[in-house]
Amino acid sequence: MTFHAKITGYADPALHAAGLYIGGKWRKGDGIAVMNPSTGDKLAEVADASVEDAMRAVDAAEAAASGWRATPARQRSEILRRWFQLMTQHAEELATLIALENGKALPDARGEVAYAAEFFRWYAEEAVRVPGEYRHTPSGSHHILVDHEPIGIAVLITPWNFPAAMATRKIGPALAAGCTVILKPASETPLTAYAMARLGEEAGVPPGVVNVLTTSKPGAVTNAMLADPRVRKLSFTGSTGVGRTLLAEAAKSVVSCSMELGGNAPFLVFDDADLEAALDGAMIAKMRNAGEACTAANRFYVQAGIHGAFVAGLTARMAALKVGPGYDPATQCGPMITTNAVRKIDRLVTDAIALGARVTTGGKPLAENGYFYPPTVLENVPTDAAIAREEIFGPVAPVYRFESEEDAIRLANDTEYGLAAYIYSQDLKRAMRVGRQLETGMLGINRGLMSDPAAPFGGVKQSGLGREGGVTGILEFMEAKYYAVDY
């Protein structure tokens, strides 16, 4: 008997496979198989939404919009707070569900649930603190009053790698701002989204304020919603390629867009770094969710004087990780999301080896029933290898040597992406000096983890538009209205 067949209660995949959630009602259906990447077995089957279903979701969001917009901020805040509390109460069950459908190791899944819940608590607090402005014009002839209003119906598109956190990071500020939403989770990991919707019901979210639909036709369904003039916001997390397509589609209706796209994060280690601290940070930055994260360290640039010791230390730590099913409490590195993900990683590693890279641990797909690739370290990686340009999205750490500070900056910026970067140095002046020259939206200095609901999350260049989280996150779902006032 497989592990997931023994699940009962809230973590049971079958409980969340009823169907679409539109207007506070569950619509039964099937058509999309949800697989367990740890075994290759089918977990459940969920409804496959049509364009007509998407339009019903827009109708439901519109029907709920005026009432939710008029709901006092304190009341919206209390609903989000209750949602946070319910996620906390059901944390272990949600983590198990994530481990089953996503494959991430249980410690990572527990961390995601805690992180995800915090977005509801943070925006419960921000809901009652929306800023405004009142001042005189420079001429003194009249007054300037600036208010912020909900932008309107928002379409939220989330990826499979953080099925809980990417949903709450969008739903939290949207609801706090007074918007109604349609959430389209990734078809690989829809069960967590439906579980969250059930908790939202229990928290008191009115029907139609949050709608959830899964589809195997994301292009047609999304395009239909963006073409509807009632939809005024698109918030997307995913690849840069898909983001570009969505931006072009949204432009046809001048829909406001927030885009959190791909990354190619450099991890810079200078000779004066604390080696053990740098290795600790490297393991976090690389191996969170087995490397399937947009902020994952993708390129390790290590200064010549510490390079050998760093490679040896990273190799030892990566080789010691236990690979296994995500739901196994002993697992430290779970499977990749699909067989295609394994093939991509293998292609990048094989190319790097052919160009002269040396494998110090790992380097070949594992012969398992699930979708496994082992923790891998590569050294002497040529900077023209494909792995230096493409987002790996897996447990592979390519290490490059650099000599000078100027070389490190040049190499780090040699990418179209600019989401996250990391610097390890005990010289804070150097770290800040280098940091100011890195083309990135977020920077970790002597830290391997930078995500925090209270901080603005987002990138520059081809890594996106706008920011999620922090005090600015709620403003992504609001419009500033200026009143010119005389009295």
Side-chain angles (χ1 to χ4, degrees), residues 60-302:
E62 183 191 28
S66 60
W68 185 246
R69 179 189 182 109
T71 299
R74 177 61 70 193
Q75 189 174 336
R76 296 199 301 265
S77 170
E78 291 300 328
I79 289 172
L80 287 171
R81 177 76 182 192
R82 285 197 292 273
W83 208 345
F84 157 76
Q85 292 169 336
L86 286 166
M87 284 192 67
T88 302
Q89 290 170 18
H90 291 276
E92 189 63 20
E93 295 157 287
L94 288 171
T96 299
L97 192 61
I98 291 170
L100 286 169
E101 68 171 346
N102 171 277
K104 69 176 61 180
L106 270 173
D108 268 352
R110 292 176 183 129
E112 181 186 345
V113 174
Y115 175 53
E118 280 296 326
F119 282 104
F120 284 154
R121 177 154 66 170
W122 173 261
Y123 284 107
E125 296 162 346
E126 289 299 296
V128 296
R129 294 181 175 86
V130 174
E133 183 181 345
Y134 178 77
R135 58 187 171 88
H136 297 283
T137 61
S139 68
S141 61
H142 63 272
H143 301 82
I144 293 172
L145 174 66
V146 180
D147 192 15
H148 290 91
E149 298 181 346
I151 196 169
I153 296 172
V155 172
L156 315 176
I157 302 178
T158 55
W160 50 261
N161 58 335
F162 288 89
M166 298 303 95
T168 61
R169 196 163 76 185
K170 299 180 188 298
I171 295 171
L175 267 60
C179 298
T180 57
V181 305
I182 302 157
L183 173 68
K184 191 201 79 60
S187 58
E188 293 89 350
T189 55
L191 302 178
T192 301
Y194 286 130
M196 304 272 285
R198 292 182 185 279
L199 291 178
E201 279 186 312
E202 191 174 340
V205 176
V209 171
V210 174
N211 306 277
V212 185
L213 53 85
T214 44
T215 181
S216 65
K217 303 168 282 295
V221 164
T222 302
N223 291 350
M225 290 190 288
L226 293 179
D228 192 307
R230 295 171 293 178
V231 172
R232 299 311 310 144
K233 181 70 182 183
L234 169 64
S235 180
F236 170 75
T237 298
S239 73
T240 296
V242 174
R244 292 185 186 119
T245 300
L246 289 172
L247 281 168
E249 197 64 35
K252 296 177 182 177
S253 301
V254 196
V255 172
S256 171
C257 293
S258 297
M259 294 273 156
E260 194 267 284
L261 306 177
N264 191 6
F267 190 103
L268 277 56
V269 183
F270 287 92
D271 282 343
D272 63 359
D274 179 320
L275 177 60
E276 291 305 311
L279 289 169
D280 289 343
M283 293 300 293
I284 296 170
K286 177 72 263 182
M287 293 305 296
R288 184 183 182 208
N289 195 28
E292 294 177 314
C294 54
T295 56
N298 212 58
R299 299 168 291 147
F300 289 83
Y301 296 116
V302 185

Side-chain angles (χ1 to χ4, degrees), residues 440-456:
T440 184
M442 300 178 289
L443 179 63
I445 295 179
N446 296 323
R447 287 190 59 185
L449 178 64
M450 61 184 65
S451 300
D452 192 299

Side-chain angles (χ1 to χ4, degrees), residues 27-38:
R27 297 177 180 268
K28 291 187 177 181
D30 54 28
I32 299 177
V34 183
M35 308 302 290
N36 182 342
S38 295

Side-chain angles (χ1 to χ4, degrees), residues 19 42-43 97 118 134 192 222 332 341 369 373 396 419:
K42 186 167 82 170
L43 276 173
L97 192 61
E118 280 296 326
Y134 178 77
T192 301
T222 302
Q332 296 170 297
N369 290 332
Y373 198 92
V396 179
L419 183 62

Side-chain angles (χ1 to χ4, degrees), residues 335-360:
M336 303 297 97
I337 190 67
T338 62
T339 54
N340 284 338
V342 175
R343 291 192 191 103
K344 175 190 174 182
I345 296 167
D346 187 45
R347 170 179 62 81
L348 292 173
V349 171
T350 300
D351 172 74
I353 294 170
L355 292 175
R358 186 176 76 88
V359 178
T360 63

